[in-house]
Amino acid sequence: SLDLLFSETIAPFMLTILLASMLLIDSVLVQPVTVTATRLPTEAYRTGRSISVLTADDINALPVQSVDELLRFIPGIEIQSRGPLGTQSDISIRGSTFNQVLVMVDGMRVNDPLTGHYSAYLPVSLAEVHHIEVLRGPAAALYGVDAVGGVINIVTHTFAPEQSRMDTTRVMAGIGAGEHGLFHGDAGVLHIQGNSLVSGGLQTNTSTGFKVTSTDNNGDFTMQTASASVRNSIADNWEAAIRLGTDARDFDAQHYYSASTQDQSRETVTSLWLQTMLQHSGSSSNTRFDVSYKRLTDRFQFNPTFSSTNLHTTQMVNFLVNSAQEVTNAITLGWGLQADYRDIKSTDRGNHSAVHGGVYATAQLHINNLVANGSIRTDADENYGLELTPQLSASYSFGSISLRSSIARGVRGADFTERYVSHNLPGILTPNRNYGNPDLDAESSWTWDAGFDWYAAAWMHYHVSVFRRTSSNLIDYILVNSNTIEHRNKLAPDTTYLYPENLAAVTISGLEGEVAGLVVVGGGLTADYSVGLRLSDTKAVDGIISKYLSTASPVVGSAIVNLKVAGTTLSLQTLYKKHSDEFMSTLYPKSPTEYTIANASLRYRLSPAAECFVLATNMFNTPYEDIPGVEMPARWISGGIKVAY
């Protein structure tokens, strides 16, 4: 069905646009956007990778109130939300599971060792974000485990490269309200003077709840984020920085994790983030030391009439040294060391800890228009032993076109939930619930991709990639008869449970593309737009339908249009998603298999420092479920005002 869709609809459409633009071509040079997610700060088009960068201006221009809303419309990324405004969201890149995406803040991993469901709980307010880098495809050779489907790096003003900072003082604040008792508030400050920087932000989103048709769910939530940071010179060529952030949320989680009729779940999650940095910058070298600490507490109650409540506390300490040296104009070398300690204390998973370490080296060779990048890393973990992850990429640029290709190995070890979920609960477990497997091996994958970036004109540029990821020992939950489970002392005999296993082999092939640009219509009217599409096809050798791999949609399309004139901006966002027919018919026959949702916002500038806005989310009342089985809200109207000096 994907082949038919591509051959009869998408391919002719893309070919028509391509031929039309060739007739009207006004070539511009490839855009030199510098990224840091490759460990060697370099222009995105020279990395040989598919990378998107969203600046603070891009973020402020979009009608979003959380990072997951922001990422939802980026081609190649699929946000799988269990509630609005980022209540809880999983992230999938190129058809990956959510555990295969590495999320970082200023180059330090925030993925929680307990479970991958907390990756989008970012302890940084939107006001502190300098830019966001999205790297599609594996980066395990630089970052180690989890970086299989891709990497998302949130770069803040405080930890951004020095050359991007200029003396400034900015203060902003916003307030909004809407249906279902919605209240939104945010504030931020940024002060840069010479080598000193101070930044901070607050953010809150609350709602008394929305009703969904399939349950008695109230859908209420309270989410609050606060962060502050300082950076300063401490000696010649030496700088230090520190950040403290917290994220707290309390929400109705009914049917977030189960379809049980007794499910009246409520969850409270609080995380603390501390990061310090010491950096030495020479004329041709840079060495940086980072230490981060994350503590997360999760209180989960399945039903208020039950006496049991699951309590989880996780801690993670991460230490990183990264150094880059420009040897000649053509050669740059880098190396790094990483070590981390992970610890959990859980009423249903027990108490466990693990130590992990890695060492890596990377190099970039630049000869005329050809840039080659190579990296290799060795990781040691007490759960899965030693793993070697090489990576090669190359790009060739001429005029307005950049060709790129890469091949890389990725590795992911099982998290504590996949190993031990429900192991510490008393009594015999009810059938069909998740039950951990402590004997899981690390999953391994090889990914190849190729593509091009063509800046045909200011009003039209293209980004196209094809990719193929082949995995062995991929970890995911499947329905298994309890009689075949080795650790089955808590299981009812001859019944089924969702049990994580290493799947024999899984191959994901796909295509992703984006057409974007800025059009000057005339009369002061401008329109910037982005249209993206991702197609993927997942094939398992044994044909098993697994829980989380199957939730990645094989077709995701998005479009954004911003019309601006005389201080007024109209933004339209559209998202199309199609779930796997086989997966939906087998497990969720009553859920919508495909849908299109649309958001719209109208902003009006009241003065140079103030603007008001109205936002309509899901304005056509489309029934949809990002995660099958979890119904999302219907149309939701809100509005507010923002000021910035």
Side-chain angles (χ1 to χ4, degrees):
S1 59
L2 287 181
D3 292 340
L4 185 64
L5 177 66
F6 181 76
S7 62
E8 293 189 355
T9 305
I10 297 164
F13 172 73
M14 293 179 66
L15 183 60
T16 300
I17 292 180
L18 203 60
L19 292 174
S21 63
M22 290 176 68
L23 296 175
L24 301 170
I25 189 169
D26 177 21
S27 295
V28 295
L29 293 177
V30 176
Q31 295 183 358
V33 179
T34 299
V35 296
T36 61
T38 56
R39 294 297 193 201
L40 297 178
T42 188
E43 290 86 355
Y45 74 92
R46 289 180 173 175
T47 64
R49 308 299 301 274
S50 175
I51 297 178
S52 294
V53 179
L54 294 174
T55 67
D57 291 338
D58 297 328
I59 297 169
N60 293 331
L62 293 172
V64 297
Q65 296 166 337
S66 64
V67 172
D68 75 314
E69 288 183 298
L70 185 68
L71 298 174
R72 179 177 291 271
F73 296 91
I74 297 179
I77 293 182
E78 181 184 358
I79 297 298
Q80 301 168 338
S81 295
R82 291 180 174 84
L85 279 71
T87 308
Q88 185 184 94
S89 296
D90 294 336
I91 304 172
S92 172
I93 298 181
R94 290 182 168 179
S96 71
T97 64
F98 59 87
N99 274 324
Q100 294 176 325
V101 175
L102 176 62
V103 181
M104 302 186 299
V105 171
D106 293 314
M108 302 297 281
R109 62 172 54 233
V110 298
N111 291 52
D112 194 83
L114 178 70
T115 174
H117 290 305
Y118 303 140
S119 295
Y121 291 176
L122 298 171
V124 176
S125 64
L126 279 176
E128 280 213 272
V129 176
H130 180 273
H131 68 273
I132 298 176
E133 302 169 358
V134 178
L135 189 156
R136 302 173 186 86
L142 296 172
Y143 299 106
V145 295
D146 303 329
V148 176
V151 176
I152 296 172
N153 187 27
I154 314 295
V155 182
T156 65
H157 293 287
T158 309
F159 289 76
E162 183 179 0
Q163 60 267 25
S164 66
R165 305 201 308 270
M166 297 184 297
D167 286 4
T168 185
T169 299
R170 295 207 309 261
V171 179
M172 61 79 63
I175 189 171
E179 295 179 290
H180 312 298
L182 177 66
F183 173 79
H184 168 76
D186 64 324
V189 60
L190 173 65
H191 176 72
I192 305 174
Q193 185 172 359
N195 294 320
S196 300
L197 182 151
V198 178
S199 178
L202 300 170
Q203 188 174 309
T204 183
N205 287 296
T206 65
S207 171
T208 55
F210 60 92
K211 292 288 186 181
V212 296
T213 58
S214 59
T215 71
D216 294 327
N217 190 358
N218 286 324
D220 67 291
F221 57 82
T222 298
M223 299 179 289
Q224 298 172 326
T225 304
S227 58
S229 54
V230 178
R231 179 170 179 162
N232 207 348
S233 294
I234 57 175
D236 290 344
N237 300 323
W238 286 91
E239 283 189 304
I242 186 170
R243 156 169 290 104
L244 180 65
T246 182
D247 181 89
R249 51 192 69 206
D250 179 82
F251 51 92
D252 184 336
Q254 187 177 21
H255 295 315
Y256 274 25
Y257 313 109
S258 85
S260 171
T261 57
Q262 295 181 311
D263 187 352
Q264 298 181 31
S265 300
R266 185 153 202 94
E267 192 163 7
T268 302
V269 183
T270 304
S271 61
L272 174 71
W273 176 263
L274 175 65
Q275 181 177 351
T276 62
M277 180 268 287
L278 180 64
Q279 178 173 267
H280 179 268
S281 301
S283 58
S284 59
S285 64
N286 180 279
T287 301
R288 177 169 154 172
F289 305 84
D290 286 90
V291 179
S292 65
Y293 169 75
K294 178 179 180 179
R295 178 184 174 89
L296 184 142
T297 59
D298 175 32
R299 182 182 186 275
F300 179 81
Q301 187 172 38
F302 182 75
N303 189 306
T305 63
F306 295 179
S307 58
S308 61
T309 298
N310 286 339
L311 299 173
H312 319 288
T313 300
T314 68
Q315 296 184 94
M316 180 172 64
V317 180
N318 196 1
F319 172 76
L320 175 68
V321 181
N322 188 68
S323 182
Q325 173 74 48
E326 185 178 330
V327 180
T328 68
N329 290 334
I331 300 175
T332 303
L333 302 178
W335 62 270
L337 298 170
Q338 180 188 352
D340 62 72
Y341 170 78
R342 294 156 284 158
D343 173 85
I344 71 164
K345 293 179 173 58
S346 170
T347 53
D348 89 323
R349 293 156 177 81
N351 300 337
H352 306 276
S353 63
V355 177
H356 166 266
V359 56
Y360 60 90
T362 183
Q364 182 181 95
L365 176 64
H366 186 186
I367 303 175
N368 296 325
N369 295 334
L370 175 66
V371 180
N373 299 272
S375 304
I376 190 166
R377 177 180 176 119
T378 298
D379 283 276
D381 192 289
E382 57 186 278
N383 286 329
Y384 54 79
L386 288 173
E387 291 287 352
L388 184 70
T389 49
Q391 176 178 302
L392 291 172
S393 64
S395 67
Y396 184 81
S397 303
F398 49 98
S400 60
I401 298 177
S402 178
L403 306 177
R404 49 181 163 75
S405 183
S406 69
I407 185 170
R409 182 173 185 255
V411 173
R412 186 180 80 83
D415 59 41
F416 287 123
T417 293
E418 290 167 325
R419 291 180 178 277
Y420 303 112
V421 63
S422 304
H423 276 225
N424 212 44
L425 294 178
I428 300 299
L429 302 176
T430 56
N432 295 324
R433 71 178 300 155
N434 292 355
Y435 187 69
N437 179 0
D439 299 325
L440 290 167
D441 295 324
E443 63 182 40
S444 171
S445 66
W446 281 94
T447 301
W448 169 86
D449 70 1
F452 68 88
D453 304 296
W454 180 21
Y455 294 86
W459 58 272
M460 185 170 289
H461 49 91
Y462 307 92
H463 309 276
V464 177
S465 301
V466 293
F467 61 90
R468 184 179 181 88
R469 181 169 66 249
T470 302
S471 301
S472 59
N473 286 335
L474 189 142
I475 303 168
D476 204 359
Y477 293 82
I478 60 175
L479 282 172
V480 176
N481 188 288
S482 58
N483 292 345
T484 65
I485 297 175
E486 182 177 350
H487 313 276
R488 56 176 181 268
N489 56 307
K490 293 180 177 293
L491 308 182
D494 200 26
T495 56
T496 57
Y497 290 85
L498 278 166
Y499 188 65
E501 289 193 346
N502 291 111
L503 306 184
V506 177
T507 299
I508 299 178
S509 305
L511 168 114
E512 60 192 14
E514 179 186 15
V515 182
L518 172 65
V519 179
V520 179
V521 180
L525 175 63
T526 63
D528 61 87
Y529 70 94
S530 170
V531 179
L533 175 71
R534 193 260 295 156
L535 302 175
S536 61
D537 185 30
T538 301
K539 295 187 182 300
V541 171
D542 47 19
I544 293 176
I545 299 177
S546 59
K547 181 177 181 179
Y548 289 119
L549 186 65
S550 299
T551 61
S553 302
V555 183
V556 179
S558 63
I560 301 175
V561 178
N562 297 310
L563 302 173
K564 303 177 183 179
V565 61
T568 300
T569 302
L570 174 64
S571 297
L572 302 172
Q573 301 170 309
T574 302
L575 179 72
Y576 170 79
K577 187 180 292 189
K578 178 178 173 57
H579 293 299
S580 164
D581 290 329
E582 183 182 8
F583 171 68
M584 297 299 290
S585 62
T586 302
L587 298 179
Y588 299 96
K590 297 182 180 180
S591 297
T593 300
E594 61 181 319
Y595 50 82
T596 301
I597 59 172
N599 303 338
S601 71
L602 183 65
R603 298 160 53 198
Y604 178 71
R605 186 157 293 282
L606 301 170
S607 71
E611 70 174 20
C612 60
F613 68 90
V614 176
L615 171 64
T617 303
N618 190 13
M619 60 181 177
F620 297 124
N621 269 335
T622 302
Y624 76 103
E625 299 172 1
D626 272 345
I627 295 287
V630 183
E631 187 174 343
M632 294 291 285
R635 181 170 51 239
W636 201 330
I637 307 296
S638 62
I641 188 169
K642 293 182 178 180
V643 295
Y645 296 91

